[in-house]
Amino acid sequence: MAHMEDERADTSHERGTLILRDPVHDYFVLPAQLESLLAQWPLHRLRRVSQTSMASIQYPSLTGTRFEHSLGTMHLARTAWREMWSRVDDIDGPKDFIAAVREDLENSKPFAGDKLDEFTAEWVANENAFSRDFVRNVDLALAAAGLLHDLGHPPFSHALENFFERNLSILVPGAHREQMRRKANLKVGAQFHEVAGLHLVNSLDWNSVTGISRELVTRILIGGPPDSWVAALHEIVSGEVDVDRMDYVIRDANRAGTEFGAVDATRLMQSIKLRALATDDMNRASAWRVGYEYRARSAIETFLTNRIRYYQWVLFHYRVVAANKFLEEALEELLEIERTSSPNANDTNISARFAELRPNLAYFGGPDRHTYRLRPAIKGSGVQQVRDFDTVRTASEVDDGVINVWMKEAARRARAIRTSNTQTVHRARLANFEALYGAIFFREQNWVSLWEDEADFVAVAESMKASLTSILELAATSISEMIASVDENSDEHGLLSLEALNLANIQIQMEADPGRGVNLLAKRLLYNVPNVEADDEKKKGTQLQPWEKAAAHPAAIIRKDAERRLQASLAFKPLQPGATSVKWIVSYQSTVAVKEDSEAVAIFKGNKIGRIGQYSALGSGLNNLTSRYPCIFAFVVLPADTERDLEVLRSNARKHFVEEFPDWVRTEFMGVPTASFFAIDGL
């Protein structure tokens, strides 16, 4: 452990750094080594990407950006690392941890290119130098990972993430889609923005970055096998109680004007711990986990509670959910106008006119390898200058403003077409787009939410209890018959048995608490949707890699199809005889208050390692307390220039939903041709 104490001191007193002032963390420094990253265009794009999508429609001051959040995450990542390493004990195997990192970086296939970057290669070549510089270099790598962790967010962040994933083939050139697929293979199960982020990180101008291990940054962002050294470092930036969540809960909740940002980050930072879990045949530590000391229990409880309250009252406020969903649906309407074919020349002309309005949205459309430099090459330096400024700059200009301009221009054109009384097949879509545009940009009161809080939602669920219970009983009978018809040693029998257990749980919850039962049902029907096409390919013997399956049948497309089926079912009949047709919009939104599996935050009490649920009654009960919060939202939007009586509209829409939702559930259960409906727990 030579030089460790010196390194601990060195990391807190740096020279040549940029001092930043932040309303959340006060003063903090940007290490000089990161200034060249901060100067790059793709990172500056985040200055113009909203952190909380359309939440300012309800919370006017909630206007933060991904850029300031990334800086805050960078600062907390460094703080967490320095605090954690300063308290590492010999029993936690610090020398073995350092050796494991060096061995892996030296011998494994690089993730960040065809060969190790020059800085990392030189660092791992000398064992003494590696140990001497370990704390500083991990500090800088974690700082860079924190700075870059949200690089792949599309305009308006999560509100349009599914839109971009679903429409990748339209929005992004084919070569870049293939690069995205390769990145998806590095981090199977990653969200779309994480995959896009890996592509962007890899395409940055790393030649201008000195003193940072590109390979280590990439590995921290990707993560690794459970209890590996890379999983431990990844946990600092992306875990259950991580620096990413700490920053946005404090930052966003305070900016919204709520009390939910009251998180004791200081206590959490002072209690973060690296713990060795196992040893190899030579008695060397070989597995590690990052968690928190037992004394941080109250701070963790407060953090988890305030985080779920922030989701409930801010991000999942019905007006915020509506605005985010209206934005997504408005853009979908524009794409449908482009795609709708018609033999009528006027319709074709309108489609073409809207297609020409769509901007270049390939925000990660830069090169897969470094092919540009932000600064001109120095004359006589021998560095070959490859000019790709336009590609990188254009991609870095794809932000919230681009979406806003697109919608404004489309709204003007839609209005001109409708007011001219032009006969076109697009008239209904144009009216819907205008209505959504008005609700988003001008907060027009042209829509209703079928429920606005937990009590409203539970009342609707109670009204459907009898119908849904009957349908669930029929589904259970059908699954029982299927189980009896297959070989009990087959995989299908195991899947069906699991389905039966899951279905039984939904039945129990529906009987005891309809609100919770409808949430579980909505999760199965709108989120954990069976990938029937991929299932069929498997039966045909087609072996798909996870990333290939995701590319062929993205979860976002499958879930959107289920959503559209529900919307079509609700729209099939008018709300009442002779009523104006309306646009139905449904959305499934959910987050877990406390993880209950191996991903749950670890708590260290003496020599024991447990989970927060084991040491905290609040931690173990928080999921039950929040399980009745609405996860499914339903809205009705009136087309443009329609007379409005919103109270009558809400009353009629709720009655209609109570009648039609059970019919849709029945159709979904009986219409799925495979035996994997309930067995799928995420795609």
Side-chain angles (χ1 to χ4, degrees), residues 244-303:
D244 173 25
R245 288 169 172 81
M246 279 185 220
D247 183 83
Y248 77 64
V249 169
I250 299 171
R251 186 178 302 277
D252 299 347
N254 287 341
R255 190 184 285 270
T258 70
E259 71 277 20
F260 310 140
V263 173
D264 192 351
T266 301
R267 184 66 160 177
L268 292 171
M269 291 293 99
Q270 292 175 351
S271 304
I272 193 168
K273 179 78 173 171
L274 176 71
R275 173 64 60 85
L277 301 179
T279 56
D280 59 18
D281 294 339
M282 299 179 66
N283 202 33
R284 297 177 304 186
S286 57
W288 295 268
R289 186 168 299 162
V290 167
Y292 292 86
E293 295 171 341
Y294 185 74
R295 62 190 174 125
R297 183 180 56 168
S298 64
I300 293 172
E301 288 180 345
T302 300
F303 171 78

Side-chain angles (χ1 to χ4, degrees), residues 347-518:
D347 293 335
T348 302
N349 179 53
I350 290 174
S351 293
R353 289 171 65 191
F354 275 87
E356 69 186 17
L357 290 178
R358 175 162 50 85
N360 179 353
L361 295 176
Y363 68 93
F364 48 85
D368 190 43
R369 291 285 184 268
H370 162 61
T371 60
Y372 70 97
R373 293 181 66 84
L374 297 182
R375 301 178 181 85
I378 299 174
K379 187 175 181 180
S381 66
V383 177
Q384 184 178 0
Q385 178 86 8
V386 180
R387 298 192 179 276
D388 197 12
F389 292 111
D390 289 343
T391 300
V392 179
R393 190 159 199 158
T394 299
S396 301
E397 290 170 346
V398 179
D399 52 28
D400 293 5
V402 169
I403 299 295
N404 287 335
V405 170
W406 179 22
M407 291 186 65
K408 290 175 184 177
E409 293 296 326
R412 294 189 188 101
R413 190 157 293 183
R415 212 159 31 241
I417 293 171
R418 285 202 321 106
T419 55
S420 68
N421 292 320
T422 302
Q423 295 302 310
T424 172
V425 71
H426 303 301
R427 181 164 288 276
R429 289 199 182 281
L430 292 171
N432 286 337
F433 169 75
E434 278 194 81
L436 294 167
Y437 173 82
I440 295 166
F441 276 78
F442 305 110
R443 214 171 188 261
E444 287 187 14
Q445 298 301 303
N446 57 0
W447 61 277
V448 296
S449 175
L450 271 63
W451 42 87
E452 298 181 357
D453 54 31
E454 182 182 342
D456 267 0
F457 172 67
V458 171
V460 173
E462 287 279 2
S463 300
M464 299 187 293
K465 176 180 176 179
S467 299
L468 292 175
T469 299
S470 176
I471 293 167
L472 289 170
E473 288 173 354
L474 289 174
T477 300
S478 177
I479 290 178
S480 295
E481 292 173 353
M482 294 173 71
I483 291 175
S485 67
V486 299
D487 182 355
E488 64 179 13
N489 295 317
S490 66
D491 291 341
E492 188 173 13
H493 187 279
L495 288 174
L496 286 169
S497 298
L498 181 59
E499 292 167 8
L501 288 173
N502 288 325
L503 182 56
N505 180 49
I506 295 177
Q507 288 179 283
I508 292 170
Q509 297 299 336
M510 187 68 71
E511 184 66 33
D513 188 336
R516 188 176 299 172
V518 170

Side-chain angles (χ1 to χ4, degrees), residues 17 50 53 73 80 106 153 195 205 216 272 355 377 387 390 433 468 472 608 621 675:
T17 57
S50 55
S53 305
T73 303
E106 186 176 31
H153 272 288
V195 178
D205 178 13
L216 185 54
I272 193 168
R387 298 192 179 276
D390 289 343
F433 169 75
L468 292 175
L472 289 170
K608 296 180 179 179

